Amino acid sequence: GDSMVAGTDTVAGVPVVAYGTDPARRGGALTSAGCALVVEAIGAAERGNRPVLGVWHSGGADLAEGVASLRGVAGIFAAMTRASGRVAQLALVDGPAAGGAAYGSALNDIVVMTSRGRLFVTGPAVVAQVTGSRTDMETLGGPEVHAYRSGAVHVLARDRDEARGIVGELLGLLSPAAPTVPVASPGVADGPDPGRWIPASPRRAYDIRPVVTDILDGPGIELHEHWAPNVHVRLGRLGGRPVGVVANNPLRKCGCLDASASTKAARFVRLCEIGRAHV
């Protein structure tokens, strides 16, 4: 009867430990018992060397429990930080995630958000009461805010079905248990020439993204497409093996490294160190 569930299963054939909030039960509130369930799930992922997936749609800590629920939420944060760098942690935000649920999502290595997703510490009513500013959930913490401005969201999905496919592909690239995918022609020379996208004049800007696509076996998944676009980061496969690509994009700010782009690249390299991808 609790508002959280957890278990071990497979996603796209990849073994994973998953947990999620149930918005149909108390709005997905984070109770002390539910938080303990999440802590155990993250620990099981560490012991089994499996990625962990959290599905979030929650109003945050259960206020009826008071301090007990806040202590449980802090336990989740502690478990996530202990597992950081050991196993890949993915979050799927498929509805409003407030308070502790917002922090719990943002602490993951990769955050996928659907069009219904919202991330904010306090809701519009509290913002209006404290600051006098009127806003709504989408303006405060919708997909555009976190994918374009804050960088808290790595990948946007139209709906739950698309998000499921994205999560499955990400797990296949990051999980130690995912097999190498055989390819018919492992050599880059057998594919299209990436140089066709580069202009003859060094003074002309160009988009690095189609160059990366030509080098890889397939399109892969770009992370942080809209945040700090002067650096391009992507997970994909080369010769069937998972790789991570970091590239300056001359089309945006001449590919210069500013603070956001540097943070983006560093976070991505750390992500590849957790999974199987070679940078």
Side-chain angles (χ1 to χ4, degrees), residues 86-149:
R86 300 175 182 272
V87 294
Q89 300 182 70
L90 283 71
L92 170 57
V93 182
D94 191 36
Y103 289 119
S105 301
L107 280 172
N108 284 257
D109 299 305
I110 297 180
V111 179
V112 179
M113 179 183 278
T114 68
S115 59
R116 305 192 311 173
R118 306 287 185 267
L119 279 177
F120 45 77
V121 178
T122 56
V126 176
V127 172
Q129 185 175 9
V130 174
T131 68
S133 299
R134 298 288 178 180
T135 185
D136 54 36
M137 286 190 182
E138 184 171 2
T139 304
L140 187 62
E144 184 171 340
V145 172
H146 292 302
Y148 286 78
R149 291 165 55 189

Side-chain angles (χ1 to χ4, degrees), residues 12-155:
V14 178
V16 62
V17 176
Y19 62 86
T21 59
D22 184 356
R25 296 179 182 270
R26 305 170 71 174
L30 305 176
T31 63
S32 56
C35 291
L37 197 64
V38 174
V39 171
E40 173 56 31
I42 296 173
E46 283 192 89
R47 293 189 295 272
N49 194 26
R50 295 181 174 187
V52 57
L53 169 66
V55 182
W56 293 91
H57 183 167
S58 166
D62 189 344
L63 298 181
E65 282 193 356
V67 175
S69 64
L70 294 176
R71 186 176 187 275
V73 172
I76 291 179
F77 299 165
M80 287 178 168
T81 53
R82 283 194 301 268
S84 180
R86 300 175 182 272
V87 294
Q89 300 182 70
L90 283 71
L92 170 57
V93 182
D94 191 36
Y103 289 119
S105 301
L107 280 172
N108 284 257
D109 299 305
I110 297 180
V111 179
V112 179
M113 179 183 278
T114 68
S115 59
R116 305 192 311 173
R118 306 287 185 267
L119 279 177
F120 45 77
V121 178
T122 56
V126 176
V127 172
Q129 185 175 9
V130 174
T131 68
S133 299
R134 298 288 178 180
T135 185
D136 54 36
M137 286 190 182
E138 184 171 2
T139 304
L140 187 62
E144 184 171 340
V145 172
H146 292 302
Y148 286 78
R149 291 165 55 189
S150 76
V153 170
H154 296 70
V155 187

